[in-house]
């Protein structure tokens, strides 16, 4: 659907407008009394969220590549129906196919508290079934208010159970990674991916002093990113998830990844709400499963 048609059907004057964004991909530009935000239909990727009077909350790489088949580097990519490499077939895309698919608009609405809701959906087609032999309806509901609520709902519309791994792979903007601590994971075990996937135990807050790529297990807790440089805390609450991923590429990986500036690691950290590792979920035929992330700034 063209931006013009989208605005005809789903635009809300002064609040929701669909325009051509980077790479010619369509994005929803949202503005209300609480915040401003942007959401690309490419991958249903929230790429910006900024509460009124506050610094941007999400990090979007200045070197992000906007082209078919490539995930946007930053914001909140939707990793689905698997997290990380495909469990058995390395030829299949890392983090699944949802984050590079073209999603459709379901609805837009102004909520009673003047927040804005945008719902997007993705359903199976011959292309997805060639990669993953299941029928599904995926819906992303984004509510932009003083906080940002992102809900990913998986519906199994087929006749067979399906195993789903996923992530709301959120990149957060921080003032200085050296002065960041992440609270909420104390006492949890985690898979330390850069160290041979060894299982380790978290003591105290998470500090970023090297490449960090950890799947924290058996945790339903809220995380708080203490960003001393920007004198703020970013709260990341969740439901439908028992695994939280923390990632910072650090120096070498920032240099290795073309869509991250060499010094990109200094201003970002990922805290991801996931069904990863043993937290992947079976969704029975006709059933649904939902993961929710709620982001707020203090
Ligand atoms: O969520 C952490 C992670 O799995 C890291 O291993 C890193 O690969 C990151 O995702 C980004 O993955 P991408 O495929 O977007 O480069």
């Amino acid at each position: 659907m063209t931006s013009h048609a989208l605005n005809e059907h789903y635009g809300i004057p002064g609040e929701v407008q669909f325009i051509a964004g980077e790479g010619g991909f369509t994005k929803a530009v949202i503005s209300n009394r609480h915040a401003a935000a942007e959401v690309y239909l490419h991958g249903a990727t929230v790429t910006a969220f900024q509460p009124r009077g506050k610094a941007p909350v999400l990090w979007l790489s200045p070197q992000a590549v906007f082209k078919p088949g490539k995930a946007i580097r930053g914001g909140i990519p939707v990793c689905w129906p698997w997290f990380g490499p495909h469990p058995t077939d390395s030829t299949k895309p890392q983090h699944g196919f949802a984050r590079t698919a073209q999603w459709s608009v379901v609805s837009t609405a102004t909520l009673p508290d003047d927040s804005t809701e945008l719902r997007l959906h993705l359903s199976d087609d011959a292309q997805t079934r060639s990669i993953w032999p299941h029928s599904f309806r995926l819906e992303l509901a984004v509510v932009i208010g003083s906080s940002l609520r992102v809900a990913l709902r998986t519906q199994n519309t087929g006749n067979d159970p399906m195993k789903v791994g996923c992530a709301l792979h959120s990149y957060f903007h921080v003032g200085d990674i050296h002065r960041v601590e992440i609270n909420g994971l104390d006492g949890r075990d985690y898979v330390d991916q850069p160290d041979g996937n060894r299982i380790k135990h978290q003591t105290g807050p998470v500090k970023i002093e090297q490449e960090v790529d950890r799947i924290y297990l058996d945790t339903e807790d809220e995380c708080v990113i203490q960003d001393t440089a920007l004198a703020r805390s970013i709260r990341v609450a969740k439901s439908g998830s028992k695994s939280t991923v923390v990632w910072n590429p650090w120096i070498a990986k920032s240099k290795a990844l073309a869509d991250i500036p060499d010094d990109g690691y200094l201003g970002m950290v990922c805290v991801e709400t996931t069904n990863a590792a043993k937290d992947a979920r079976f969704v029975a035929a006709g059933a649904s499963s939902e993961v929710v992330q709620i982001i707020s700034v203090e």
Side-chain angles (χ1 to χ4, degrees):
M1 199 183 262
T2 64
S3 297
H4 177 72
L6 285 167
N7 286 315
E8 289 268 295
H9 287 83
Y10 304 110
I12 303 176
E15 186 177 346
V16 180
Q17 187 183 15
F18 294 88
I19 64 173
E22 297 290 333
F25 285 142
T26 301
K27 69 179 177 181
V29 179
I30 294 136
S31 176
N32 59 43
R33 66 181 174 87
H34 301 292
E38 295 191 352
V39 185
Y40 275 83
L41 302 190
H42 179 71
T45 312
V46 182
T47 51
F49 171 60
Q50 185 166 11
R52 296 289 172 219
K54 297 186 176 173
V57 178
L58 301 178
W59 180 83
L60 179 64
S61 174
Q63 296 176 194
V65 174
F66 290 77
K67 68 176 186 181
K70 179 81 175 106
I72 296 170
R73 178 68 69 190
I76 309 177
V78 175
C79 303
W80 190 94
W82 58 83
F83 177 82
H86 183 277
T88 57
D89 181 347
S90 61
T91 66
K92 296 187 175 177
Q94 161 98 336
H95 288 323
F97 52 78
R99 65 177 184 162
T100 53
Q102 300 315 304
W103 292 54
S104 304
V105 179
V106 175
S107 63
T108 54
T110 306
L111 300 182
D113 69 349
D114 295 335
S115 297
T116 307
E117 181 190 65
L118 168 68
R119 303 179 81 86
L120 305 174
H121 101 273
L122 180 70
S123 293
D124 61 286
D125 60 18
Q127 207 267 334
T128 66
R129 288 190 296 272
S130 71
I131 300 175
W132 194 63
H134 292 283
S135 301
F136 65 86
R137 177 184 171 90
L138 204 48
E139 193 163 294
L140 193 80
V142 184
V143 176
I144 296 97
S146 52
S147 61
L148 175 67
R149 184 182 193 274
V150 183
L152 178 67
R153 183 173 195 78
T154 296
Q155 191 178 355
N156 182 346
T157 55
N159 301 314
D160 306 308
M162 58 187 187
K163 185 175 183 183
V164 173
C166 68
L168 295 173
H169 192 297
S170 305
Y171 289 76
F172 294 97
H173 165 60
V174 295
D176 177 355
I177 196 63
H178 299 106
R179 300 170 63 195
V180 163
E181 288 190 352
I182 300 167
N183 295 295
L185 296 165
D186 180 26
R188 301 295 176 188
D189 287 344
Y190 63 90
V191 179
D192 189 351
Q193 299 193 107
D195 188 12
N197 289 336
R198 286 179 175 78
I199 303 294
K200 298 183 180 174
H201 189 77
Q202 182 64 40
T203 303
V206 179
K207 295 175 183 173
I208 311 292
E209 298 160 327
Q210 59 192 339
E211 180 187 359
V212 169
D213 192 353
R214 302 174 183 175
I215 304 173
Y216 284 86
L217 304 169
D218 303 314
T219 171
E220 298 179 273
D221 295 338
E222 174 182 81
C223 288
V224 181
I225 304 168
Q226 195 72 40
D227 181 358
T228 305
L230 289 180
R232 70 175 183 184
S233 301
I234 301 174
R235 291 187 168 277
V236 186
K238 66 174 187 175
S239 66
S241 156
K242 291 188 175 180
S243 51
T244 293
V245 170
V246 176
W247 180 54
N248 182 283
W250 208 240
I251 299 167
K253 196 158 274 185
S254 288
K255 286 180 179 165
L257 292 169
D259 57 357
I260 295 182
D262 289 355
D263 63 354
Y265 71 98
L266 291 169
M268 53 77 76
V269 67
C270 289
V271 175
E272 307 162 31
T273 296
T274 69
N275 290 149
K278 67 177 184 176
D279 188 29
R281 305 289 172 101
F282 279 98
V283 185
S288 297
S289 175
E290 185 175 67
V291 173
V292 181
Q293 185 178 75
I294 301 170
I295 298 165
S296 55
V297 181
E298 294 173 349

